[in-house]
PDB file of all heavy atoms in Angstrom:
ATOM      1  N   SER A 461       0.857  -6.471  11.019  1.00 84.00           N
ATOM      2  CA  SER A 461       2.080  -5.978  10.385  1.00 84.00           C
ATOM      3  C   SER A 461       1.970  -5.889   8.875  1.00 84.00           C
ATOM      4  O   SER A 461       2.959  -5.593   8.200  1.00 84.00           O
ATOM      5  CB  SER A 461       3.256  -6.891  10.760  1.00 84.00           C
ATOM      6  OG  SER A 461       3.435  -6.928  12.159  1.00 84.00           O
ATOM      7  N   THR A 462       0.803  -6.163   8.332  1.00 86.00           N
ATOM      8  CA  THR A 462       0.603  -6.175   6.883  1.00 86.00           C
ATOM      9  C   THR A 462      -0.253  -4.985   6.481  1.00 86.00           C
ATOM     10  O   THR A 462      -1.313  -4.755   7.072  1.00 86.00           O
ATOM     11  CB  THR A 462      -0.083  -7.487   6.444  1.00 86.00           C
ATOM     12  OG1 THR A 462       0.732  -8.588   6.843  1.00 86.00           O
ATOM     13  CG2 THR A 462      -0.305  -7.524   4.944  1.00 86.00           C
ATOM     14  N   VAL A 463       0.194  -4.222   5.477  1.00 81.00           N
ATOM     15  CA  VAL A 463      -0.564  -3.036   5.073  1.00 81.00           C
ATOM     16  C   VAL A 463      -1.449  -3.300   3.863  1.00 81.00           C
ATOM     17  O   VAL A 463      -2.412  -2.574   3.636  1.00 81.00           O
ATOM     18  CB  VAL A 463       0.374  -1.845   4.785  1.00 81.00           C
ATOM     19  CG1 VAL A 463       1.071  -1.399   6.052  1.00 81.00           C
ATOM     20  CG2 VAL A 463       1.394  -2.177   3.711  1.00 81.00           C
ATOM     21  N   ASP A 464      -1.153  -4.324   3.069  1.00 86.00           N
ATOM     22  CA  ASP A 464      -1.960  -4.606   1.887  1.00 86.00           C
ATOM     23  C   ASP A 464      -3.302  -5.207   2.303  1.00 86.00           C
ATOM     24  O   ASP A 464      -3.344  -6.256   2.966  1.00 86.00           O
ATOM     25  CB  ASP A 464      -1.228  -5.583   0.975  1.00 86.00           C
ATOM     26  CG  ASP A 464      -2.015  -5.883  -0.284  1.00 86.00           C
ATOM     27  OD1 ASP A 464      -1.881  -5.122  -1.260  1.00 86.00           O
ATOM     28  OD2 ASP A 464      -2.796  -6.862  -0.284  1.00 86.00           O
ATOM     29  N   PRO A 465      -4.448  -4.574   1.938  1.00 88.00           N
ATOM     30  CA  PRO A 465      -5.761  -5.034   2.411  1.00 88.00           C
ATOM     31  C   PRO A 465      -6.102  -6.460   1.979  1.00 88.00           C
ATOM     32  O   PRO A 465      -6.694  -7.217   2.758  1.00 88.00           O
ATOM     33  CB  PRO A 465      -6.737  -4.027   1.787  1.00 88.00           C
ATOM     34  CG  PRO A 465      -5.923  -2.834   1.450  1.00 88.00           C
ATOM     35  CD  PRO A 465      -4.551  -3.337   1.144  1.00 88.00           C
ATOM     36  N   GLU A 466      -5.749  -6.847   0.760  1.00 95.00           N
ATOM     37  CA  GLU A 466      -6.080  -8.196   0.301  1.00 95.00           C
ATOM     38  C   GLU A 466      -5.306  -9.246   1.084  1.00 95.00           C
ATOM     39  O   GLU A 466      -5.854 -10.292   1.461  1.00 95.00           O
ATOM     40  CB  GLU A 466      -5.799  -8.327  -1.200  1.00 95.00           C
ATOM     41  CG  GLU A 466      -6.746  -7.496  -2.052  1.00 95.00           C
ATOM     42  CD  GLU A 466      -6.512  -7.712  -3.546  1.00 95.00           C
ATOM     43  OE1 GLU A 466      -5.723  -8.616  -3.898  1.00 95.00           O
ATOM     44  OE2 GLU A 466      -7.123  -6.969  -4.337  1.00 95.00           O
ATOM     45  N   LYS A 467      -4.042  -8.967   1.348  1.00 94.00           N
ATOM     46  CA  LYS A 467      -3.247  -9.911   2.138  1.00 94.00           C
ATOM     47  C   LYS A 467      -3.762  -9.973   3.574  1.00 94.00           C
ATOM     48  O   LYS A 467      -3.817 -11.047   4.185  1.00 94.00           O
ATOM     49  CB  LYS A 467      -1.774  -9.495   2.116  1.00 94.00           C
ATOM     50  CG  LYS A 467      -1.105  -9.698   0.763  1.00 94.00           C
ATOM     51  CD  LYS A 467       0.352  -9.270   0.794  1.00 94.00           C
ATOM     52  CE  LYS A 467       1.007  -9.449  -0.577  1.00 94.00           C
ATOM     53  NZ  LYS A 467       2.406  -8.935  -0.587  1.00 94.00           N
ATOM     54  N   ARG A 468      -4.142  -8.820   4.116  1.00 93.00           N
ATOM     55  CA  ARG A 468      -4.695  -8.808   5.482  1.00 93.00           C
ATOM     56  C   ARG A 468      -5.967  -9.646   5.549  1.00 93.00           C
ATOM     57  O   ARG A 468      -6.177 -10.390   6.512  1.00 93.00           O
ATOM     58  CB  ARG A 468      -5.003  -7.377   5.930  1.00 93.00           C
ATOM     59  CG  ARG A 468      -3.799  -6.485   6.117  1.00 93.00           C
ATOM     60  CD  ARG A 468      -4.201  -5.156   6.753  1.00 93.00           C
ATOM     61  NE  ARG A 468      -4.075  -5.221   8.197  1.00 93.00           N
ATOM     62  CZ  ARG A 468      -4.590  -4.341   9.028  1.00 93.00           C
ATOM     63  NH1 ARG A 468      -5.305  -3.334   8.567  1.00 93.00           N
ATOM     64  NH2 ARG A 468      -4.422  -4.454  10.325  1.00 93.00           N
ATOM     65  N   ALA A 469      -6.812  -9.521   4.539  1.00 96.00           N
ATOM     66  CA  ALA A 469      -8.064 -10.296   4.506  1.00 96.00           C
ATOM     67  C   ALA A 469      -7.767 -11.795   4.548  1.00 96.00           C
ATOM     68  O   ALA A 469      -8.428 -12.554   5.267  1.00 96.00           O
ATOM     69  CB  ALA A 469      -8.874  -9.932   3.268  1.00 96.00           C
ATOM     70  N   GLU A 470      -6.772 -12.233   3.795  1.00 98.00           N
ATOM     71  CA  GLU A 470      -6.405 -13.652   3.772  1.00 98.00           C
ATOM     72  C   GLU A 470      -5.891 -14.108   5.141  1.00 98.00           C
ATOM     73  O   GLU A 470      -6.257 -15.174   5.633  1.00 98.00           O
ATOM     74  CB  GLU A 470      -5.323 -13.899   2.713  1.00 98.00           C
ATOM     75  CG  GLU A 470      -5.793 -13.716   1.277  1.00 98.00           C
ATOM     76  CD  GLU A 470      -4.639 -13.811   0.284  1.00 98.00           C
ATOM     77  OE1 GLU A 470      -3.526 -14.193   0.705  1.00 98.00           O
ATOM     78  OE2 GLU A 470      -4.861 -13.497  -0.905  1.00 98.00           O
ATOM     79  N   ILE A 471      -5.046 -13.298   5.736  1.00 98.00           N
ATOM     80  CA  ILE A 471      -4.470 -13.643   7.037  1.00 98.00           C
ATOM     81  C   ILE A 471      -5.558 -13.733   8.102  1.00 98.00           C
ATOM     82  O   ILE A 471      -5.626 -14.703   8.880  1.00 98.00           O
ATOM     83  CB  ILE A 471      -3.410 -12.599   7.436  1.00 98.00           C
ATOM     84  CG1 ILE A 471      -2.217 -12.658   6.490  1.00 98.00           C
ATOM     85  CG2 ILE A 471      -2.968 -12.796   8.891  1.00 98.00           C
ATOM     86  CD1 ILE A 471      -1.342 -11.419   6.539  1.00 98.00           C
ATOM     87  N   TYR A 472      -6.425 -12.723   8.136  1.00 98.00           N
ATOM     88  CA  TYR A 472      -7.467 -12.711   9.165  1.00 98.00           C
ATOM     89  C   TYR A 472      -8.517 -13.793   8.935  1.00 98.00           C
ATOM     90  O   TYR A 472      -9.132 -14.280   9.891  1.00 98.00           O
ATOM     91  CB  TYR A 472      -8.110 -11.327   9.242  1.00 98.00           C
ATOM     92  CG  TYR A 472      -7.238 -10.285   9.898  1.00 98.00           C
ATOM     93  CD1 TYR A 472      -7.117  -9.002   9.363  1.00 98.00           C
ATOM     94  CD2 TYR A 472      -6.535 -10.572  11.069  1.00 98.00           C
ATOM     95  CE1 TYR A 472      -6.317  -8.036   9.968  1.00 98.00           C
ATOM     96  CE2 TYR A 472      -5.737  -9.611  11.677  1.00 98.00           C
ATOM     97  CZ  TYR A 472      -5.623  -8.349  11.123  1.00 98.00           C
ATOM     98  OH  TYR A 472      -4.838  -7.402  11.731  1.00 98.00           O
ATOM     99  N   ALA A 473      -8.713 -14.203   7.686  1.00 98.00           N
ATOM    100  CA  ALA A 473      -9.618 -15.327   7.409  1.00 98.00           C
ATOM    101  C   ALA A 473      -9.058 -16.609   8.031  1.00 98.00           C
ATOM    102  O   ALA A 473      -9.797 -17.419   8.615  1.00 98.00           O
ATOM    103  CB  ALA A 473      -9.814 -15.498   5.909  1.00 98.00           C
ATOM    104  N   LYS A 474      -7.741 -16.797   7.925  1.00 98.00           N
ATOM    105  CA  LYS A 474      -7.107 -17.979   8.525  1.00 98.00           C
ATOM    106  C   LYS A 474      -7.227 -17.934  10.050  1.00 98.00           C
ATOM    107  O   LYS A 474      -7.471 -18.966  10.695  1.00 98.00           O
ATOM    108  CB  LYS A 474      -5.639 -18.049   8.120  1.00 98.00           C
ATOM    109  CG  LYS A 474      -5.398 -18.374   6.654  1.00 98.00           C
ATOM    110  CD  LYS A 474      -3.916 -18.350   6.323  1.00 98.00           C
ATOM    111  CE  LYS A 474      -3.668 -18.568   4.833  1.00 98.00           C
ATOM    112  NZ  LYS A 474      -2.211 -18.434   4.512  1.00 98.00           N
ATOM    113  N   ALA A 475      -7.041 -16.757  10.635  1.00 98.00           N
ATOM    114  CA  ALA A 475      -7.151 -16.630  12.093  1.00 98.00           C
ATOM    115  C   ALA A 475      -8.562 -16.968  12.564  1.00 98.00           C
ATOM    116  O   ALA A 475      -8.748 -17.676  13.563  1.00 98.00           O
ATOM    117  CB  ALA A 475      -6.767 -15.215  12.526  1.00 98.00           C
ATOM    118  N   GLN A 476      -9.567 -16.473  11.833  1.00 98.00           N
ATOM    119  CA  GLN A 476     -10.954 -16.762  12.212  1.00 98.00           C
ATOM    120  C   GLN A 476     -11.282 -18.241  12.038  1.00 98.00           C
ATOM    121  O   GLN A 476     -12.012 -18.824  12.841  1.00 98.00           O
ATOM    122  CB  GLN A 476     -11.904 -15.888  11.390  1.00 98.00           C
ATOM    123  CG  GLN A 476     -11.859 -14.423  11.811  1.00 98.00           C
ATOM    124  CD  GLN A 476     -12.539 -13.505  10.819  1.00 98.00           C
ATOM    125  OE1 GLN A 476     -13.741 -13.264  10.908  1.00 98.00           O
ATOM    126  NE2 GLN A 476     -11.772 -12.979   9.860  1.00 98.00           N
ATOM    127  N   ALA A 477     -10.724 -18.865  10.993  1.00 98.00           N
ATOM    128  CA  ALA A 477     -10.950 -20.296  10.785  1.00 98.00           C
ATOM    129  C   ALA A 477     -10.366 -21.106  11.944  1.00 98.00           C
ATOM    130  O   ALA A 477     -10.980 -22.076  12.420  1.00 98.00           O
ATOM    131  CB  ALA A 477     -10.333 -20.738   9.458  1.00 98.00           C
ATOM    132  N   LEU A 478      -9.200 -20.687  12.433  1.00 98.00           N
ATOM    133  CA  LEU A 478      -8.570 -21.375  13.556  1.00 98.00           C
ATOM    134  C   LEU A 478      -9.384 -21.185  14.834  1.00 98.00           C
ATOM    135  O   LEU A 478      -9.553 -22.126  15.629  1.00 98.00           O
ATOM    136  CB  LEU A 478      -7.149 -20.831  13.733  1.00 98.00           C
ATOM    137  CG  LEU A 478      -6.177 -21.607  14.628  1.00 98.00           C
ATOM    138  CD1 LEU A 478      -6.123 -23.080  14.242  1.00 98.00           C
ATOM    139  CD2 LEU A 478      -4.784 -20.980  14.528  1.00 98.00           C
ATOM    140  N   GLU A 479      -9.899 -19.978  15.016  1.00 98.00           N
ATOM    141  CA  GLU A 479     -10.764 -19.717  16.175  1.00 98.00           C
ATOM    142  C   GLU A 479     -11.982 -20.640  16.146  1.00 98.00           C
ATOM    143  O   GLU A 479     -12.345 -21.264  17.156  1.00 98.00           O
ATOM    144  CB  GLU A 479     -11.205 -18.247  16.169  1.00 98.00           C
ATOM    145  CG  GLU A 479     -12.146 -17.875  17.302  1.00 98.00           C
ATOM    146  CD  GLU A 479     -12.841 -16.541  17.072  1.00 98.00           C
ATOM    147  OE1 GLU A 479     -12.833 -16.041  15.920  1.00 98.00           O
ATOM    148  OE2 GLU A 479     -13.416 -16.020  18.040  1.00 98.00           O
ATOM    149  N   LEU A 480     -12.623 -20.752  14.980  1.00 98.00           N
ATOM    150  CA  LEU A 480     -13.816 -21.591  14.863  1.00 98.00           C
ATOM    151  C   LEU A 480     -13.479 -23.073  15.054  1.00 98.00           C
ATOM    152  O   LEU A 480     -14.256 -23.825  15.650  1.00 98.00           O
ATOM    153  CB  LEU A 480     -14.471 -21.380  13.493  1.00 98.00           C
ATOM    154  CG  LEU A 480     -15.083 -19.995  13.252  1.00 98.00           C
ATOM    155  CD1 LEU A 480     -15.548 -19.868  11.814  1.00 98.00           C
ATOM    156  CD2 LEU A 480     -16.241 -19.733  14.209  1.00 98.00           C
ATOM    157  N   GLU A 481     -12.329 -23.486  14.561  1.00 98.00           N
ATOM    158  CA  GLU A 481     -11.915 -24.883  14.671  1.00 98.00           C
ATOM    159  C   GLU A 481     -11.693 -25.272  16.125  1.00 98.00           C
ATOM    160  O   GLU A 481     -12.018 -26.383  16.547  1.00 98.00           O
ATOM    161  CB  GLU A 481     -10.626 -25.067  13.859  1.00 98.00           C
ATOM    162  CG  GLU A 481     -10.013 -26.442  13.926  1.00 98.00           C
ATOM    163  CD  GLU A 481      -8.634 -26.456  13.282  1.00 98.00           C
ATOM    164  OE1 GLU A 481      -8.519 -25.989  12.129  1.00 98.00           O
ATOM    165  OE2 GLU A 481      -7.669 -26.910  13.942  1.00 98.00           O
ATOM    166  N   GLN A 482     -11.159 -24.330  16.920  1.00 98.00           N
ATOM    167  CA  GLN A 482     -10.770 -24.639  18.293  1.00 98.00           C
ATOM    168  C   GLN A 482     -11.821 -24.261  19.344  1.00 98.00           C
ATOM    169  O   GLN A 482     -11.740 -24.714  20.481  1.00 98.00           O
ATOM    170  CB  GLN A 482      -9.461 -23.925  18.614  1.00 98.00           C
ATOM    171  CG  GLN A 482      -8.261 -24.471  17.854  1.00 98.00           C
ATOM    172  CD  GLN A 482      -7.883 -25.858  18.309  1.00 98.00           C
ATOM    173  OE1 GLN A 482      -7.718 -26.110  19.499  1.00 98.00           O
ATOM    174  NE2 GLN A 482      -7.769 -26.785  17.362  1.00 98.00           N
ATOM    175  N   SER A 483     -12.771 -23.413  18.981  1.00 98.00           N
ATOM    176  CA  SER A 483     -13.861 -23.005  19.889  1.00 98.00           C
ATOM    177  C   SER A 483     -13.383 -22.573  21.276  1.00 98.00           C
ATOM    178  O   SER A 483     -13.752 -23.167  22.290  1.00 98.00           O
ATOM    179  CB  SER A 483     -14.879 -24.143  20.045  1.00 98.00           C
ATOM    180  OG  SER A 483     -15.464 -24.481  18.825  1.00 98.00           O
ATOM    181  N   PRO A 484     -12.549 -21.530  21.340  1.00 98.00           N
ATOM    182  CA  PRO A 484     -12.129 -21.073  22.674  1.00 98.00           C
ATOM    183  C   PRO A 484     -13.281 -20.504  23.500  1.00 98.00           C
ATOM    184  O   PRO A 484     -13.239 -20.538  24.731  1.00 98.00           O
ATOM    185  CB  PRO A 484     -11.082 -20.002  22.365  1.00 98.00           C
ATOM    186  CG  PRO A 484     -11.314 -19.593  20.955  1.00 98.00           C
ATOM    187  CD  PRO A 484     -11.895 -20.773  20.257  1.00 98.00           C
ATOM    188  N   TYR A 485     -14.299 -19.965  22.844  1.00 98.00           N
ATOM    189  CA  TYR A 485     -15.491 -19.462  23.529  1.00 98.00           C
ATOM    190  C   TYR A 485     -16.742 -20.053  22.879  1.00 98.00           C
ATOM    191  O   TYR A 485     -16.731 -20.410  21.701  1.00 98.00           O
ATOM    192  CB  TYR A 485     -15.625 -17.939  23.391  1.00 98.00           C
ATOM    193  CG  TYR A 485     -14.631 -17.096  24.133  1.00 98.00           C
ATOM    194  CD1 TYR A 485     -13.631 -16.411  23.450  1.00 98.00           C
ATOM    195  CD2 TYR A 485     -14.717 -16.927  25.515  1.00 98.00           C
ATOM    196  CE1 TYR A 485     -12.721 -15.600  24.119  1.00 98.00           C
ATOM    197  CE2 TYR A 485     -13.808 -16.120  26.194  1.00 98.00           C
ATOM    198  CZ  TYR A 485     -12.818 -15.458  25.485  1.00 98.00           C
ATOM    199  OH  TYR A 485     -11.928 -14.659  26.155  1.00 98.00           O
ATOM    200  N   ILE A 486     -17.818 -20.066  23.657  1.00 98.00           N
ATOM    201  CA  ILE A 486     -19.162 -20.195  23.068  1.00 98.00           C
ATOM    202  C   ILE A 486     -19.724 -18.773  23.012  1.00 98.00           C
ATOM    203  O   ILE A 486     -19.823 -18.085  24.030  1.00 98.00           O
ATOM    204  CB  ILE A 486     -20.093 -21.088  23.920  1.00 98.00           C
ATOM    205  CG1 ILE A 486     -19.482 -22.474  24.120  1.00 98.00           C
ATOM    206  CG2 ILE A 486     -21.482 -21.162  23.280  1.00 98.00           C
ATOM    207  CD1 ILE A 486     -19.192 -23.233  22.847  1.00 98.00           C
ATOM    208  N   VAL A 487     -20.070 -18.308  21.810  1.00 98.00           N
ATOM    209  CA  VAL A 487     -20.662 -16.987  21.619  1.00 98.00           C
ATOM    210  C   VAL A 487     -22.042 -17.206  20.990  1.00 98.00           C
ATOM    211  O   VAL A 487     -22.141 -17.481  19.798  1.00 98.00           O
ATOM    212  CB  VAL A 487     -19.790 -16.098  20.711  1.00 98.00           C
ATOM    213  CG1 VAL A 487     -20.389 -14.692  20.628  1.00 98.00           C
ATOM    214  CG2 VAL A 487     -18.362 -16.031  21.214  1.00 98.00           C
ATOM    215  N   PRO A 488     -23.106 -17.124  21.786  1.00 98.00           N
ATOM    216  CA  PRO A 488     -24.430 -17.475  21.246  1.00 98.00           C
ATOM    217  C   PRO A 488     -25.085 -16.403  20.388  1.00 98.00           C
ATOM    218  O   PRO A 488     -25.851 -16.714  19.477  1.00 98.00           O
ATOM    219  CB  PRO A 488     -25.264 -17.748  22.497  1.00 98.00           C
ATOM    220  CG  PRO A 488     -24.590 -16.981  23.587  1.00 98.00           C
ATOM    221  CD  PRO A 488     -23.135 -16.929  23.239  1.00 98.00           C
ATOM    222  N   PHE A 489     -24.797 -15.116  20.675  1.00 98.00           N
ATOM    223  CA  PHE A 489     -25.482 -14.056  19.923  1.00 98.00           C
ATOM    224  C   PHE A 489     -24.719 -12.748  20.013  1.00 98.00           C
ATOM    225  O   PHE A 489     -23.880 -12.555  20.894  1.00 98.00           O
ATOM    226  CB  PHE A 489     -26.917 -13.848  20.439  1.00 98.00           C
ATOM    227  CG  PHE A 489     -27.023 -13.665  21.931  1.00 98.00           C
ATOM    228  CD1 PHE A 489     -26.585 -12.504  22.552  1.00 98.00           C
ATOM    229  CD2 PHE A 489     -27.583 -14.661  22.734  1.00 98.00           C
ATOM    230  CE1 PHE A 489     -26.684 -12.333  23.922  1.00 98.00           C
ATOM    231  CE2 PHE A 489     -27.678 -14.504  24.113  1.00 98.00           C
ATOM    232  CZ  PHE A 489     -27.235 -13.334  24.703  1.00 98.00           C
TER     233      PHE A 489
END
Side-chain angles (χ1 to χ4, degrees):
S461 301
T462 301
V463 294
D464 181 87
E466 292 184 8
K467 290 180 181 176
R468 293 188 93 194
E470 292 173 9
I471 294 162
Y472 286 137
K474 290 177 184 176
Q476 288 167 89
L478 194 51
E479 178 195 16
L480 293 173
E481 177 189 309
Q482 291 291 309
S483 299
Y485 290 108
I486 303 301
V487 184
F489 51 71

